[in-house]
Amino acid sequence: MDRLVFTSNATIKEQATARQVLVNELANVSTVGFKSSYDVALQSVKAEGPGFDSRIQAQAVARDLIRMEPGPIMATGRPLDIALADKAVLAVQASNGDMAFTRRGDLRVNAQGQMENGSGHLVLGAGGPIAVPPGMMVTINPDGTVYARDPAQTGPAASVFIDQLRLRDGTDVKLGRRADGLFKVDGQPDGTDIAEGNMPPKLIPQALEGSNVSAIEAMTRLIDHSRSFETQIRIIKETKGLDESGSTMMKNA
């Protein structure tokens, strides 16, 4: 009986990691540019302790690799909004100063005149964080070039080149998730850059990409997890009842 309870408890414990990943995805259904991760995988490990040497138990292993499937594109009309095309990623500066990547394209200019996204991460250009002159109107082209013009200037105002967004192609690169939610090259130290390919990445101006998490699919999986949890609890309760019945029979014998 004790071994059956141990097995049910182990199942509940191993499913906890998968539930955490699922709950995180549900919480980011409406987050701009959010990417879901691969589900928790199971690997077989040898159970140590008394008993047969052939006892094998499943153990959950979290592989937080980013799914780069695009989300829905929403036209906004804002000059600073961008949606990254295909599997392109945008380089930003993390809070610790490292270079990281994201798909979040709701850009803005902060009080210091630097371009940042909705999470507050500074957007990187060719030489570092992009700085915008005060009072200038910014436009971003599909190739990632950033131009600005003075709205107070009368007549046809010429746009001035500001910088080039640091875009990278993530098609053939495995990306993992950092602790702060940004992307990094999986298996490499934080701050590792992605090599530039032959085809330059593109973006869609004045649009945003939604989350690629399917709310219906995520809710269905969450219900499945809840039913599995209830099943394991029932097994533990039934085991307890069988154990109590066996003890009663031994006392009356």
Side-chain angles (χ1 to χ4, degrees), residues 135-225:
M136 302 291 281
M137 292 186 62
V138 179
T139 57
I140 303 176
N141 294 331
D143 60 354
T145 52
V146 182
Y147 286 85
R149 65 179 180 87
D150 187 358
Q153 184 177 348
T154 59
S159 297
V160 180
F161 175 77
I162 297 296
D163 211 327
Q164 171 83 36
L165 295 178
R166 195 179 299 182
L167 302 176
R168 296 292 185 264
D169 185 9
T171 302
D172 300 323
V173 181
K174 290 184 179 180
L175 295 176
R177 197 183 306 277
R178 293 162 44 104
D180 54 10
L182 297 172
F183 305 160
K184 67 173 184 177
V185 180
D186 186 60
Q188 299 295 327
D190 290 356
T192 301
D193 198 358
I194 298 175
E196 297 187 50
N198 296 327
M199 294 295 294
K202 298 291 183 180
L203 57 83
I204 304 172
Q206 300 186 18
L208 289 176
E209 179 191 19
S211 171
N212 69 349
V213 176
S214 171
I216 297 177
E217 179 184 351
M219 286 298 299
T220 303
R221 289 162 54 199
L222 184 61
I223 292 172
D224 183 62
H225 276 276

Side-chain angles (χ1 to χ4, degrees), residues 1-2 4-5 8 230-246:
M1 298 299 179
D2 292 341
L4 183 58
V5 172
S8 296
E230 293 172 357
T231 299
Q232 300 303 325
I233 295 298
R234 283 199 299 268
I235 291 175
I236 294 175
K237 290 181 177 179
E238 289 294 332
T239 303
K240 178 182 177 182
L242 292 173
D243 189 50
E244 291 175 348
S245 298

Side-chain angles (χ1 to χ4, degrees), residues 4-232:
L4 183 58
V5 172
F6 172 80
T7 302
S8 296
N9 279 329
T11 302
I12 294 174
K13 178 181 178 182
E14 298 305 330
Q15 288 181 339
T17 305
R19 284 194 296 271
Q20 290 175 358
V21 174
L22 182 57
V23 170
N24 178 62
E25 292 182 0
L26 277 172
N28 288 279
V29 167
S30 59
T31 301
V32 175
F34 179 80
K35 295 299 177 187
S36 61
S37 306
Y38 285 113
D39 292 332
V40 175
L42 294 177
Q43 68 176 6
S44 299
V45 297
K46 181 180 178 181
E48 302 293 340
F52 295 104
D53 293 336
S54 59
R55 289 189 307 158
I56 302 298
Q57 178 180 340
Q59 186 179 55
V61 178
R63 297 184 302 175
D64 208 2
L65 295 177
I66 306 301
R67 284 193 180 118
M68 292 298 291
E69 286 79 6
I73 303 299
M74 303 168 289
T76 64
R78 287 188 67 249
L80 288 178
D81 284 344
I82 59 172
L84 299 173
D86 299 325
K87 296 186 179 181
V89 291
L90 174 66
V92 295
Q93 187 179 79
S95 56
N96 62 353
D98 289 340
M99 181 182 65
F101 302 98
T102 183
R103 292 276 292 191
R104 185 161 187 168
D106 50 345
L107 308 184
R108 63 195 179 196
V109 179
N110 60 21
Q112 290 73 37
Q114 293 178 308
M115 187 177 292
E116 64 181 16
N117 66 0
S119 300
H121 298 114
L122 296 179
V123 178
L124 296 179
I130 298 177
V132 179
M136 302 291 281
M137 292 186 62
V138 179
T139 57
I140 303 176
N141 294 331
D143 60 354
T145 52
V146 182
Y147 286 85
R149 65 179 180 87
D150 187 358
Q153 184 177 348
T154 59
S159 297
V160 180
F161 175 77
I162 297 296
D163 211 327
Q164 171 83 36
L165 295 178
R166 195 179 299 182
L167 302 176
R168 296 292 185 264
D169 185 9
T171 302
D172 300 323
V173 181
K174 290 184 179 180
L175 295 176
R177 197 183 306 277
R178 293 162 44 104
D180 54 10
L182 297 172
F183 305 160
K184 67 173 184 177
V185 180
D186 186 60
Q188 299 295 327
D190 290 356
T192 301
D193 198 358
I194 298 175
E196 297 187 50
N198 296 327
M199 294 295 294
K202 298 291 183 180
L203 57 83
I204 304 172
Q206 300 186 18
L208 289 176
E209 179 191 19
S211 171
N212 69 349
V213 176
S214 171
I216 297 177
E217 179 184 351
M219 286 298 299
T220 303
R221 289 162 54 199
L222 184 61
I223 292 172
D224 183 62
H225 276 276
S226 299
R227 289 178 176 174
S228 177
F229 176 80
E230 293 172 357
T231 299
Q232 300 303 325

